[in-house]
Amino acid sequence: SAGTQEAATKDDAGTGAATNVGVTDSAVTIAYIGDLSGPDAAVELTYYEGIKLAIDRANASGGINGRTIDLKAGDTRFDTAQAVTLFKKYTSEQPSLALLGINVSSMFEALTTRISAEKVPVIGPTGVTKVTLANPYIYNAQADLPTSAEAITKFISRQLGANAKVGVARISTASGDEWFDLFQKEAPKIQAEVTGQQKIEPAAVEAAAQVAQFKRDKVDAVTLHAGSGGAIALLKSMQTGGLNVPVFSTFGASGPTLWKSAGTLAASTYAFDAFAPPDSDVPGRADLEAAMRTAGSWDKFQQDKNYAEGWVIGNVVVESLKRAGKDLTRASFIEALRSPEGFQTGGYSADVNWSKKNGLADASAVKAFTFDPGTQRIVEVTNP
Amino acid sequence: MTGELVIDRLGLRFGGVVALREVSIRHHPDEVLGIIGPNGAGKTSLINAVTGIYPPSSGSVSYRGTPLTGRSPESIVATGIARTFQHNQLCGDLTVRENVLLGCHPRLGYGMGKAALGFGPARRAERRLRGEVEPLLELLNLGQVAAEQAHSLPYGLQKRVEMARALALRPTTLLLDEPAAGTSDEDRAALVRIIKHLRQEGACSVVLIEHDVGLVMEVSDRVAVLDWGECIMVDTPEAVAADARVLAAYLGVDDTPRDLAPSDSI
Amino acid sequence: MVEQQFLSVRDLDVAYASGAHALRGVSIEVGAGERVGIVGANGAGKTTVARAVTGLSAVFRATVRQGRISLAGKDTTRWPAWRVLAAGVVTIPEGRGVISNMTVEDNLRLVLAAIPRRRRPAVTEAYTMYPVLGERRRAMAGLLSGGEQQMLAVARALLVRPRLIVADELSLGLAPRIVTEILDGLAARAANEGTAVLLIEQAVVMSLRFVDRAYVLDQGTVVAQGTSDELRQAGDTTARYLGVADLSRAEELL
Amino acid sequence: MTQSIAPPHLADPAQPRAGVRRTGLAVLAVAIVVALPLVVSPYWTTVATNAVLAFAIAAPLNLLTGNAGQFSLGNAAFLVVGAYTGAFVTFTFDMELPIAMLVAAAAGALVGFIVGLPSLRLRGAYLLMSTLAAHYILVFAALKFQTSQFGAAGAIFPPLRVAGVDLSGDRSMYFVIAAFAALIGLIITNIMRSGHGRAIEAVKARDVAAAACGISVARTKLWVWSLSSAMIAAAGVLQAYYLGSASVEFYTLNLAITYVAMILVGGLGSLGGSLLGACFVTLVPVVVNHLSEAYGGGGVLAHPHELQTVIYGLIIIAFVLLKPDGLIGFVRSAARRLRNGG
Amino acid sequence: MTDFLNAVWSGSGFGSLYGLVALGLVVIFKSTGILNFSGGALMAVGGVVAAGLGAQGFWVAAGIAVVAVAGVGAVANLTVMRPLLGRGLFPGVMVTIGLASVIEGTSGLLFGRQPRFLPDPIGVPTFDLPFGTSMSSTLAVALGLSAAATVLLAIAFNRTSVGLQLRAAAVRPEVASMFGANPGRIFTYAWAVAGGLAALAGALLASLTVADISIATFALRAFAAMIVGGVDSLGGAFLGGILVGVTEMLAGTYLGDDFRLPSTMVVLMVFLMVRPQGLFGTPEVVRP
Ligand SMILES: Nc1ncnc2c1ncn2[C@@H]1O[C@H](COP(=O)(O)OP(=O)(O)OP(=O)(O)O)[C@@H](O)[C@H]1O
Ligand SMILES: Nc1ncnc2c1ncn2[C@@H]1O[C@H](COP(=O)(O)OP(=O)(O)OP(=O)(O)O)[C@@H](O)[C@H]1O
Ligand SMILES: CC(C)C[C@H](N)C(=O)O
Ligand SMILES: [Mg+2]
Ligand SMILES: [Mg+2]
């Protein structure tokens, strides 16, 4: 697909060529495309709510450079055809300056050619790292999978020492494939043994058979790359199947449901994520908490890092719009996204800086989180 | 050319139920053979076995010397045997004309592939077949209702449509299962005429199952009597009507309740 | 005419959802223990009367637009079938009215379930009526021959010990002897237990032989009524409604 | 006597006036289809492409379910069979689209034949269950094939080119798909207007009677199964090109049900119904999305996706209960009124 | 051996959940002739409702959910199912598909899409069995409850006249009503029972894994259970569920997890081809 990436077509050459897509004197259109009622809805709805909070706040304070942000949302229902239609809608019918969301990796792969052709910036998808890095229009703030693999293996070797047997539980999508390859490559560095992979459907309810296999393989730990549904399936099944080993999850399932479903295993369940939950003790908390309380979403989402992630992405968009100035075009917006000073995130993640690379750069950005039964909070592991 | 239908020691059982037991009947060309017998005697089963709907448990059926046993219903139709059903089997959503056209199916003359690729041959064939069914619709006095959906017709007319469809197959032997049941006296009279007509033309021979004994006696050359799955006699109508066994088992002591007497006596 | 009518149908207007206006102002009375016939050509509306009387109009997407049906003085126009049954009216429906996926015995037990326990007869009563049903009691009703199914329908109706039996095309598919037997049985019931019978038939001659009185239905209206003798003697007009005077024309057809 | 309302495809082909009218309608339809992308925006062209593609899939399904009475949930599986056969032919042998579609159609016919085999023994709920099972078994086979051939993301299709001409643009894609849909419509019309169409209806209504008319019930059923799934499989190739990828997670039971909903809403057994149903069901999410954007903010409209799920369900229910003959029923009664009026 | 037994234990536990949903499908099929595609949605919404009441503990929450979803079933029948009387397979399937969609969307509007959990029915998560095997206690409870439900329903169906009327109403509602049945009321009972059973399965699943309105597809195996057991047999639905669950878990154990659903579908297919009436069902009666 790399070769076709830049392919633009004759009769509908991307409207990206035009200068001011989605921009009028009084408004700028940004569209979110996500699974809002399918198997990934729990994650993607929360993410959307966070984005919306940031954008609403910017609009409430008078907009940016005299423009209000018109945030659209389209539901893919986990259906590629819907994603394609929505993509078309938000690039031509209601042309948008930029797109947000597109978190399901197979949809993401289907759309990457169109994204290149359209020259539309897409901010914040958590798809496949290969594709993200290869497509100059995709900007990702989440921990990429190679970085996560590195962080997790290091952590495992510190916790379990050498020669640990590790089982891999992974979502059965493109990013799951990538994760398994990467982890397999990474594991020998810590002398860990990878005992094979267990696939988990995006809409899985339970994973009894996978857990049984892990038990048979006598794994010492499990790494997990899945959405929240897959995480629940695995962790619940580990409890009913009596598999009591630590779990190391990527960002995919690091929402509060990971630990809620972990039950007795919560204290030995870890997630590796670039983003911290809203109630973390970070400089930006006061700001976010105030905004969330006003919006009435604090009680519901205070522990959900997907919300904070959305908030950060929303603020990055707002800040970029500011930086792009009065003369807003996709080109100037992209330039702002890539500005060398990067974006501060109030400590909810490492600063975002896409001046060199459109994915996340450095491994220190990935933090480990776990559940503290004492305070009943999701906390960063400071001293592993 | 009508043919000879030979039923030879035909047996049919469903689990413990013996529907037919060693039934042997020879149906001569050009003959109208009536079949009577009490309910559950096996009359319908006999037709079902002959037309390949139920594979017989024993015995054989042959038509014009070729064995029919073991063949599929549609290939038995191809030998020239057509039938009607005791309980109407019309395609209710299709019009009367279309139902009758179904009977022309073996003469379509083109396959599904050809039909898919071009409408030319189909159009020609359709015109030809329509030409063929029109006289049949007239014959059965169905011209008026040809464009009606079959299910909207009264019972009696539906029976006639069934018959038209069977005739559209241009059978040399026609098996009728209770064609007069539930029909008016007018329909019944028409039925008598049609059967007589077919017989006179020598177009096809007829096997007629009926509980309307008057009708059977009126049109049949011979009458077979089934009882408990066995064929207890095959003889002329007069002989059958006089037979004590038939009177006892079937007709009852009294005379027949349905209008044996000429209808205009009312 | 009998003074106290059991069934009384007044000015009944019924139309099907398809638009067919099947009955127009039909009035019919049946006294206790009386044997009454409805005759008429195909499509005259006979079955529609039977459905209306037994509370089945709605099931067949027909509506009673006007008129009133009453049983022993009670208005039953809008009663559902099961209430009509409880009021003592049972039907032998046109066509295969048996439940083919249930055994013969379950078909019979079904109707027994609707009878209060202390009045409930034994299933075997039906087998005494028609021994063949007893032999096939475990068979699925749908596998019986056409006539056997009809016997099952009759037996089932009689088990109820109804006050009125509505029999629609009773003779359909039955051997002549069985028809005679059934009609004799019904006549005996009428005489001994006062069971009224509404006999709906194509077969006019047979029908008139059995009933005391009959109505002639044509295109949804009652065009003639009277005792059997009166109707037999009625002129051509009536006969034509019955589809018998046209024989001469039928003969010309071929 | 009331005028009969035969389905249009069964109407008398010998009747010259009907023929003229039908030709007129066909010309009009072609004109609309051709003019559409020239007058509407690229987005609406995309929506139209979706609808036309949906028609190309719903119409063969309608032939199978509406005309032949074989209620099937196997259509998503036939799509994936087509898409992967097409991908395999395209990538391994570097073949052009028409060849890929032909090969996919052949594969679809074969698979359809096999999935249709149970229909010789089963009917109703049982047959439906067998297609449900076939769906999962085929999708599973596709998954194994995908894993071995393309990786977890499935097959990524390059922009469509035929004979060196780039056809991946919105308009050209639309025309390619519309041309294919027209071909499908033509094939189905031809069959249903021929005597075999009558035979298909007879097999649906009364298979015993059909056999008594010398129609081979088995052969007819298998023909329809093969033909319909061949067409669906061929459409699957186009769909994959159009979407840009083919991945098993797209071919869900829900997808299969969507097409069934289309033929239900449009009108069972009617080609026009397939078209109307395809358009209608395609438009539901589009309209709900627009409504929520126009009136969004509070209340239920703040959750357009949930609302859409409810509306979709209500539409299906409403059509079954209130308009069993589907949208085409409105068209027919309007046409009847016109004819009677003038 | 341990693997095998473990697979059998958990397979029969999950299978009993399929069995519960399948029981509901059978009750509806037996009494209304409708093949119900909304069983999964009823199950899911039952789980969501129960999990919403999680603070009350499993039994109270499950009890309320069962009653509530039984009500949903009854209302569904009174509003949209009843007009389908005797209209054949296709309309019934489509309306129940539509119903599933309505239930799912409504639940999304009312309760959102966040996954929820329910506490274990009995404190301990697992208990040990011979040969070093163990079984989840929730699965054991599921097994017991569905066996009890099967027995109760079977008695109701086969020993009472209501059962007879239900069966009659399924095939020929008009005939059943001629002979004293009140199909309307009967169908309402059937739908309420189906809703309650599905909700029970949903509550158990919520305690076992998760309650989430989009888990409806989990219940697809109930169709396999129904066919394997025989579409009109209650005991068959239960045993069919167990058989399907065990097959599935064995396939998962010995062939790999992705073989699970396909393996149940293969079993379904095999039964359809070899013995369409299932283990205990009555063969269809067709006679020209
Ligand atoms: N279910 C139905 N839906 C629509 N129209 C119907 C229905 N049943 C009967 N009709 C119409 O109502 C009219 C009266 O029919 P009905 O069945 O009552 O006549 P009938 O006298 O019983 O005839 P037959 O002797 O053929 O049984 C006819 O025009 C018929 O087409
Ligand atoms: N498919 C079947 N399965 C089981 N028994 C059957 C089947 N078909 C017919 N029978 C039985 O075989 C016997 C003969 O039935 P058949 O239908 O041939 O009788 P018939 O002579 O046509 O009677 P009628 O005059 O009542 O129509 C009956 O006892 C019937 O129950
Ligand atoms: C774990 C998640 C980040 C997975 C991602 N949404 C995908 O579809 O592959
Ligand atoms: Mg018979
Ligand atoms: Mg009638």
Side-chain angles (χ1 to χ4, degrees):
Chain A
S1 70
T4 62
Q5 206 183 90
E6 295 299 331
T9 52
K10 275 191 298 295
D11 64 347
D12 63 337
T15 27
T19 47
N20 56 349
V21 189
V23 181
T24 65
D25 286 345
S26 59
V28 49
T29 306
I30 307 276
Y32 177 87
I33 297 178
D35 174 12
L36 302 177
S37 59
D40 211 26
V43 170
E44 297 193 32
L45 262 175
T46 313
Y47 183 54
Y48 171 69
E49 295 286 336
I51 294 174
K52 195 163 176 309
L53 184 69
I55 305 261
D56 284 349
R57 192 178 63 158
N59 283 339
S61 64
I64 296 132
N65 299 326
R67 297 189 182 95
T68 53
I69 304 171
D70 187 6
L71 177 66
K72 309 275 185 197
D75 180 14
T76 64
R77 315 171 65 84
F78 212 82
D79 170 351
T80 313
Q82 286 302 323
V84 168
T85 310
L86 289 167
F87 181 86
K88 200 64 191 175
K89 175 170 180 177
Y90 293 127
T91 50
S92 73
E93 184 70 4
Q94 297 178 348
S96 312
L97 183 75
L99 298 179
L100 309 174
I102 321 187
N103 275 333
V104 177
S105 49
S106 45
M107 268 173 218
F108 186 66
E109 296 218 352
L111 285 176
T112 175
T113 316
R114 284 183 171 83
I115 293 170
S116 308
E118 188 69 34
K119 299 186 168 45
V120 57
V122 178
I123 306 154
T126 56
V128 188
T129 310
K130 278 191 301 236
V131 178
T132 310
L133 296 179
N135 190 328
Y137 297 99
I138 296 173
Y139 297 88
N140 193 348
Q142 186 47 275
D144 55 40
L145 291 178
T147 316
S148 302
E150 208 182 314
I152 289 182
T153 45
K154 280 192 185 133
F155 193 90
I156 290 178
S157 91
R158 261 175 286 159
Q159 280 237 324
L160 305 178
N163 303 322
K165 259 192 171 180
V166 184
V168 178
R170 41 148 295 199
I171 190 168
S172 64
T173 61
S175 74
D177 257 16
E178 191 177 37
W179 170 252
F180 181 62
D181 290 346
L182 287 166
F183 188 76
Q184 235 181 349
K185 227 173 278 158
E186 221 40 62
K189 296 183 188 162
I190 56 160
Q191 287 85 45
E193 184 190 342
V194 180
T195 65
Q197 55 175 335
Q198 295 294 312
K199 294 187 184 174
I200 301 178
E201 293 295 314
V205 174
E206 42 84 34
Q210 288 93 328
V211 166
Q213 184 59 47
F214 285 148
K215 275 178 83 175
R216 249 172 285 145
D217 292 343
K218 301 203 166 39
V219 299
D220 302 312
V222 172
T223 75
L224 171 67
H225 175 69
S228 69
I232 295 167
L234 181 80
L235 281 157
K236 281 287 197 172
S237 302
M238 282 176 67
Q239 292 159 68
T240 49
L243 176 65
N244 295 311
V245 297
V247 175
F248 304 95
S249 169
T250 64
F251 61 87
S254 83
T257 44
L258 180 72
W259 287 283
K260 257 197 217 163
S261 55
T264 51
L265 304 176
S268 60
T269 297
Y270 303 91
F272 294 77
D273 202 312
F275 291 90
D279 64 357
S280 307
D281 299 319
V282 293
R285 167 165 173 169
D287 197 18
L288 175 55
E289 182 171 348
M292 282 177 78
R293 286 199 187 275
T294 320
S297 57
W298 178 257
D299 290 341
K300 197 167 169 200
F301 293 119
Q302 55 174 308
Q303 296 203 322
D304 200 329
K305 68 95 196 180
N306 292 306
Y307 197 94
E309 187 175 345
W311 163 258
V312 167
I313 292 295
N315 282 323
V316 166
V317 169
V318 171
E319 182 61 25
S320 304
L321 289 172
K322 274 188 198 142
R323 290 183 194 174
K326 197 89 193 117
D327 193 14
L328 183 60
T329 62
R330 276 188 184 161
S332 68
F333 183 68
I334 289 175
E335 204 182 303
L337 285 174
R338 314 191 79 139
S339 53
E341 63 266 40
F343 303 88
Q344 308 217 315
T345 65
Y348 281 109
S349 73
D351 286 359
V352 173
N353 189 318
W354 287 317
S355 59
K356 296 196 187 62
K357 175 174 153 192
N358 53 351
L360 196 72
D362 106 67
S364 67
V366 182
K367 288 174 278 192
F369 294 89
T370 190
F371 187 71
D372 176 6
T375 59
Q376 294 282 308
R377 283 174 66 208
I378 296 160
V379 292
E380 197 184 328
V381 186
T382 41
N383 183 21
Chain B
M1 237 306 280
T2 62
E4 188 183 38
L5 178 68
V6 181
I7 299 165
D8 187 23
R9 282 170 294 149
L10 197 65
L12 179 63
R13 40 172 63 239
F14 301 102
V17 180
V18 183
L20 295 174
R21 203 187 312 259
E22 302 257 311
V23 172
S24 297
I25 297 174
R26 197 172 273 266
H27 179 217
H28 306 307
D30 296 335
E31 177 189 54
V32 176
L33 174 73
I35 298 185
I36 60 172
N39 295 118
K43 305 178 294 296
T44 302
S45 299
L46 182 66
I47 290 199
N48 284 344
V50 167
T51 54
I53 288 180
Y54 289 142
S57 323
S58 62
S60 67
V61 182
S62 65
Y63 189 56
R64 291 193 176 126
T66 36
L68 299 185
T69 337
R71 294 175 66 170
S72 68
E74 61 268 18
S75 72
I76 290 175
V77 171
T79 66
I81 300 180
R83 69 170 289 182
T84 66
F85 294 88
Q86 182 171 359
H87 300 287
N88 277 349
Q89 294 278 343
L90 290 178
C91 301
D93 287 342
L94 298 188
T95 64
V96 167
R97 179 179 285 114
E98 283 161 350
N99 267 288
V100 180
L101 277 167
L102 274 177
C104 299
H105 191 84
R107 299 193 301 281
L108 276 188
Y110 56 91
M112 183 98 80
K114 225 179 202 158
L117 293 178
F119 191 53
R123 189 196 302 272
R124 281 190 295 277
E126 208 67 350
R127 205 166 288 145
R128 170 171 52 83
L129 296 179
R130 267 159 210 264
E132 288 175 20
V133 300
E134 259 1 271
L136 211 51
L137 289 169
E138 285 311 312
L139 176 73
L140 289 155
N141 202 18
L142 290 167
Q144 293 269 303
V145 293
E148 300 279 323
Q149 283 182 309
H151 70 74
S152 68
L153 299 187
Y155 197 80
L157 278 187
Q158 293 194 15
K159 289 248 153 194
R160 243 191 273 166
V161 178
E162 273 237 332
M163 191 134 135
R165 186 176 68 187
L167 286 173
L169 283 159
R170 301 201 172 149
T172 44
T173 292
L174 178 61
L175 315 176
L176 300 172
D177 197 353
E178 302 203 22
T183 66
S184 67
D185 296 302
E186 187 181 352
D187 290 326
R188 177 179 176 274
L191 182 69
V192 171
R193 304 295 308 175
I194 292 163
I195 294 175
K196 286 187 170 164
H197 171 84
L198 291 174
R199 191 179 169 337
Q200 272 154 21
E201 299 279 298
C204 82
S205 55
V206 175
V207 175
L208 172 70
I209 294 179
E210 251 308 328
H211 287 302
D212 184 342
V213 183
L215 186 130
V216 174
M217 300 301 174
E218 196 175 340
V219 299
S220 304
D221 298 307
R222 288 188 305 151
V223 175
V225 184
L226 288 190
D227 192 19
W228 290 109
E230 274 176 281
C231 181
I232 54 174
M233 72 183 296
V234 187
D235 211 329
T236 60
E238 295 74 24
V240 166
D243 191 273
R245 285 175 298 173
V246 177
L247 281 177
Y250 185 55
L251 298 175
V253 255
D254 200 11
D255 62 350
T256 51
R258 184 144 182 185
D259 321 322
L260 263 178
S263 312
D264 49 42
S265 72
I266 319 177
Chain C
M1 287 245 178
V2 189
E3 274 296 285
Q4 173 58 49
Q5 300 298 357
F6 178 66
L7 167 71
S8 155
V9 176
R10 286 272 156 78
D11 299 325
L12 196 65
D13 239 54
V14 176
Y16 285 93
S18 64
H21 195 166
L23 298 181
R24 300 160 196 268
V26 169
S27 297
I28 284 170
E29 316 262 305
V30 181
E34 209 185 1
R35 290 179 277 166
V36 176
I38 301 182
V39 292
N42 285 126
K46 305 182 296 295
T47 299
T48 310
V49 173
R51 286 174 184 162
V53 167
T54 52
L56 285 167
S57 297
V59 175
F60 289 93
R61 312 192 5 109
T63 33
V64 175
R65 288 199 184 155
Q66 257 172 41
R68 182 171 186 271
I69 303 168
S70 58
L71 288 173
K74 253 180 275 154
D75 186 346
T76 63
T77 319
R78 319 236 163 248
W79 282 18
W82 54 275
R83 278 187 77 184
V84 176
L85 178 82
V89 178
V90 68
T91 171
I92 301 169
E94 184 182 45
R96 286 198 266 189
V98 302
I99 296 174
S100 28
N101 279 328
M102 289 188 357
T103 61
V104 169
E105 184 147 313
D106 279 350
N107 265 278
L108 295 167
R109 280 176 49 212
L110 173 67
V111 70
L112 293 181
I115 305 171
R117 204 173 289 267
R118 62 200 151 71
R119 289 199 285 117
R120 194 179 292 172
V123 178
T124 45
E125 206 170 282
Y127 304 147
T128 326
M129 258 182 270
Y130 301 109
V132 63
L133 296 181
E135 284 157 30
R136 306 296 308 276
R137 59 201 285 178
R138 303 244 168 274
M140 289 294 165
L143 294 177
L144 300 185
S145 83
E148 289 164 344
Q149 292 185 27
Q150 194 69 345
M151 290 180 214
L152 176 56
V154 173
R156 182 179 58 182
L158 290 178
L159 277 185
V160 178
R161 298 193 201 294
R163 300 175 65 189
L164 170 65
I165 295 182
V166 180
D168 194 358
E169 307 282 2
L170 180 76
S171 66
L172 197 78
L174 285 178
R177 196 187 127 170
I178 302 288
V179 177
T180 320
E181 277 177 20
I182 291 175
L183 290 183
D184 289 348
L186 290 183
R189 280 281 176 112
N192 304 336
E193 298 176 23
T195 311
V197 179
L198 184 58
L199 188 74
I200 294 176
E201 271 293 341
Q202 288 267 349
V204 186
V205 179
M206 180 206 82
S207 184
L208 291 186
R209 213 174 277 170
F210 171 78
V211 300
D212 309 321
R213 280 185 312 116
Y215 296 84
V216 181
L217 215 57
D218 185 60
Q219 304 203 2
T221 46
V222 175
V223 290
Q225 55 178 301
T227 63
S228 301
D229 284 339
E230 283 166 1
L231 285 173
R232 277 201 203 95
Q233 263 121 49
D236 282 357
T237 348
T238 311
R240 190 150 52 241
Y241 287 124
L242 302 176
V244 283
D246 266 333
L247 266 181
S248 46
R249 207 186 76 79
E251 247 140 337
E252 284 160 23
L253 283 175
L254 293 165
Chain D
M1 295 277 149
T2 52
Q3 184 68 48
S4 97
I5 0 146
H9 60 268
L10 289 171
D12 203 334
Q15 232 174 49
R17 272 190 46 235
V20 170
R21 207 168 27 232
R22 193 168 308 109
T23 317
L25 275 177
V27 169
L28 185 71
V30 169
I32 291 177
V33 165
V34 171
L36 198 70
L38 306 175
V39 295
V40 302
S41 69
Y43 167 62
W44 286 103
T45 305
T46 304
V47 173
T49 312
N50 285 339
V52 174
L53 183 59
F55 163 75
I57 298 164
L61 177 70
N62 210 348
L63 175 69
L64 180 69
T65 299
N67 297 115
Q70 313 283 300
F71 190 176
S72 163
L73 290 173
N75 40 81
F78 297 140
L79 283 173
V80 74
V81 165
Y84 279 174
T85 312
F88 186 73
V89 171
T90 307
F91 299 150
T92 316
F93 302 108
D94 202 17
M95 287 290 173
E96 296 265 0
L97 175 77
I99 308 287
M101 284 176 73
L102 277 178
V103 178
L110 180 68
V111 173
F113 183 88
I114 295 168
V115 174
L117 282 174
S119 74
L120 306 186
R121 284 197 59 194
L122 306 174
R123 57 172 92 211
Y126 296 91
L127 179 60
L128 184 64
M129 287 292 120
S130 84
T131 66
L132 181 85
H135 166 86
Y136 282 102
I137 294 170
L138 284 171
V139 167
F140 176 70
L143 173 71
K144 290 286 156 191
F145 183 72
Q146 169 180 302
T147 316
S148 72
Q149 292 288 324
F150 316 113
I156 307 292
F157 280 72
L160 178 60
R161 296 180 151 269
V162 177
V165 183
D166 186 334
L167 294 173
S168 66
D170 289 336
R171 268 183 215 155
S172 30
M173 201 75 214
Y174 170 81
F175 285 125
V176 169
I177 291 175
F180 174 72
L183 178 68
I184 296 234
L186 190 69
I187 291 177
I188 293 175
T189 312
N190 279 342
I191 289 183
M192 288 317 295
R193 286 170 71 197
S194 78
H196 289 285
R198 209 160 38 225
I200 289 170
E201 296 277 355
V203 164
K204 168 177 75 175
R206 302 271 173 173
D207 49 1
V208 184
C213 291
I215 298 164
S216 167
V217 175
R219 184 132 36 99
T220 308
K221 280 185 183 171
L222 290 177
W223 243 110
V224 177
W225 273 101
S226 309
L227 185 69
S228 127
S229 40
M231 292 193 275
I232 294 178
V237 183
L238 270 184
Q239 186 181 42
Y241 263 105
Y242 169 62
L243 294 179
S245 82
S247 167
V248 279
E249 67 207 61
F250 174 64
Y251 301 95
T252 57
L253 187 65
N254 268 335
L255 181 71
I257 289 174
T258 309
Y259 297 112
V260 182
M262 288 175 192
I263 63 174
L264 170 97
V265 166
L268 283 177
S270 151
L271 194 67
S274 304
L275 182 60
L276 292 176
C279 293
F280 190 91
V281 172
T282 307
L283 280 175
V284 170
V286 171
V287 170
V288 173
N289 185 273
H290 277 261
L291 278 180
S292 75
E293 275 168 1
Y295 306 102
V300 282
L301 280 171
H303 295 278
H305 38 280
E306 306 293 3
L307 193 60
Q308 182 187 322
T309 313
V310 175
I311 290 176
Y312 178 69
L314 288 178
I315 286 173
I316 292 179
I317 294 174
F319 269 92
V320 176
L321 296 186
L322 309 174
K323 195 70 191 160
D325 53 353
L327 289 167
I328 197 75
F330 289 115
V331 175
R332 278 187 199 140
S333 46
R336 210 175 320 133
R337 227 170 294 130
L338 256 164
R339 215 176 307 135
N340 294 348
Chain E
M1 185 63 178
T2 315
D3 291 346
F4 181 82
L5 284 179
N6 270 328
V8 171
W9 306 150
S10 74
S12 40
F14 279 110
S16 72
L17 295 179
Y18 310 148
L20 273 177
V21 180
L23 270 179
L25 299 183
V26 167
V27 169
I28 290 181
F29 193 79
K30 261 181 110 125
S31 57
T32 67
I34 284 172
L35 188 61
N36 176 19
F37 270 68
S38 69
L42 290 169
M43 179 198 80
V45 79
V48 168
V49 170
L53 301 161
Q56 318 294 314
F58 176 86
W59 295 101
V60 173
I64 295 175
V66 165
V67 173
V69 180
V72 172
V75 169
N77 176 58
L78 292 173
T79 50
V80 296
M81 301 313 305
R82 206 139 71 147
L84 289 176
L85 236 151
R87 278 193 39 200
L89 176 73
F90 190 81
V93 168
M94 291 315 290
V95 168
T96 54
I97 285 175
L99 183 64
S101 200
V102 171
I103 291 175
E104 185 184 330
T106 310
S107 162
L109 283 173
L110 295 178
F111 310 113
R113 294 257 169 190
Q114 293 297 332
R116 296 154 199 260
F117 309 100
L118 199 56
D120 287 340
I122 46 179
V124 280
T126 61
F127 60 87
D128 291 337
L129 287 168
F131 304 105
T133 60
S134 66
M135 184 175 187
S136 146
S137 64
T138 310
L139 286 180
V141 170
L143 198 56
L145 284 179
S146 59
T150 309
V151 170
L152 283 176
L153 276 176
I155 291 174
F157 254 81
N158 297 329
R159 298 262 178 279
T160 70
S161 51
V162 174
L164 208 55
Q165 293 183 337
L166 275 164
R167 281 163 53 203
V171 227
R172 297 285 296 270
E174 81 285 4
V175 177
S177 73
M178 275 174 217
F179 295 102
N182 178 354
R185 192 164 47 196
I186 285 175
F187 295 169
T188 307
Y189 288 154
W191 273 91
V193 166
L197 289 170
L200 181 59
L204 286 162
L205 197 63
S207 117
L208 207 55
T209 67
V210 61
D212 169 352
I213 193 64
S214 59
I215 61 176
T217 42
F218 175 83
L220 269 175
R221 283 93 154 178
F223 284 127
M226 182 187 187
I227 296 287
V228 167
V231 283
D232 57 352
S233 161
L234 295 162
F238 173 72
L239 289 177
I242 306 273
L243 192 90
V244 165
V246 170
T247 310
E248 174 183 19
M249 217 47 88
L250 288 174
T253 305
Y254 294 108
L255 300 174
D257 182 66
D258 43 1
F259 282 84
R260 283 174 58 184
L261 184 55
S263 74
T264 67
M265 293 298 154
V266 169
V267 170
L268 170 56
M269 200 60 132
V270 167
F271 265 88
L272 283 175
M273 295 321 296
V274 178
R275 199 180 157 83
Q277 74 271 32
L279 292 172
F280 306 104
T282 27
E284 223 187 349
V285 169
V286 267
R287 225 211 106 155

